[in-house]
């Protein structure tokens, strides 16, 4: 609060906001989206849960693009090997990997071999 509002120190800058969260398969079905070319995920450590929330709709996604952090700044309950194994079970193969500058973070792209 000190740095965000230096001249008005008594005003609180933080407050709670309720956010509706839904699974990707529910969103795709409600919007009647039958096919996804590229699914870009950037949820800061929650990426694997987002991928799993596709459910059976994962078969209709051609590319999945996500980050994986290899540092302790984000709390994750999974490892990259978990994501890799999960995607392999749905016929995805890793087609791209790059390290982000100055970070222990990589970006990955997986391709659905059946599409």
């Amino acid at each position: 609060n000190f740095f965000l509002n230096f001249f008005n120190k008594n005003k609180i800058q933080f407050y709670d906001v309720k956010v509706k969260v839904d699974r990707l398969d529910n969103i795709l079905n409600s919007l009647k989206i039958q096919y996804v070319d590229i699914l870009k995920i950037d949820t800061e450590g929650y990426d694997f849960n987002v991928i799993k929330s596709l459910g059976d709709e994962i078969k209709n996604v051609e590319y999945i693009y996500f980050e994986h952090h290899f540092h302790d700044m984000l709390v994750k309950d999974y490892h990259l090997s978990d994501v890799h194994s999960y995607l392999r079970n749905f016929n995805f193969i890793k087609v791209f990997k790059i390290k982000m500058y100055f970070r222990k973070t990589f970006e990955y792209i997986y391709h659905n071999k059946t599409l």
Side-chain angles (χ1 to χ4, degrees):
N1 200 35
F2 177 78
F3 291 108
L4 293 176
N5 197 3
F6 184 77
F7 295 108
N8 191 5
K9 295 177 189 175
N10 296 328
K11 186 176 179 185
I12 297 175
Q13 295 294 316
F14 302 100
Y15 50 90
D16 292 334
V17 175
K18 291 188 180 202
V19 177
K20 183 181 179 219
V21 177
D22 201 352
R23 293 175 48 90
L24 270 179
D25 54 359
N26 291 335
I27 294 168
L28 293 174
N29 289 326
S30 68
L31 295 174
K32 296 180 176 40
I33 297 173
Q34 297 177 358
Y35 177 79
V36 177
D37 291 314
I38 300 171
L39 176 63
K40 170 66 168 102
I41 304 169
D42 190 354
T43 53
E44 302 305 320
Y46 205 70
D47 305 65
F48 189 32
N49 294 341
V50 172
I51 291 169
K52 290 189 294 187
S53 80
L54 281 164
D56 289 337
E57 296 300 319
I58 195 168
K59 67 184 182 294
N60 299 321
V61 177
E62 187 163 357
Y63 290 94
I64 297 178
Y65 179 3
F66 65 95
E67 296 176 357
H68 186 77
H69 303 263
F70 291 94
H71 52 69
D72 296 332
M73 292 188 328
L74 297 174
V75 178
K76 302 184 304 284
D77 61 350
Y78 64 89
H79 300 281
L80 178 62
S81 60
D82 300 323
V83 179
H84 181 77
S85 296
Y86 186 84
L87 290 172
R88 294 281 298 169
N89 286 338
F90 289 97
N91 295 315
F92 279 82
I93 57 168
K94 181 174 55 178
V95 294
F96 181 78
K97 171 186 173 183
I98 191 167
K99 184 179 185 307
M100 298 176 77
Y101 291 112
F102 310 111
R103 301 171 67 187
K104 291 183 179 180
T105 303
F106 289 81
E107 293 182 321
Y108 296 90
I109 298 177
Y110 279 74
H111 178 250
N112 185 342
K113 294 189 303 184
T114 58
L115 294 179

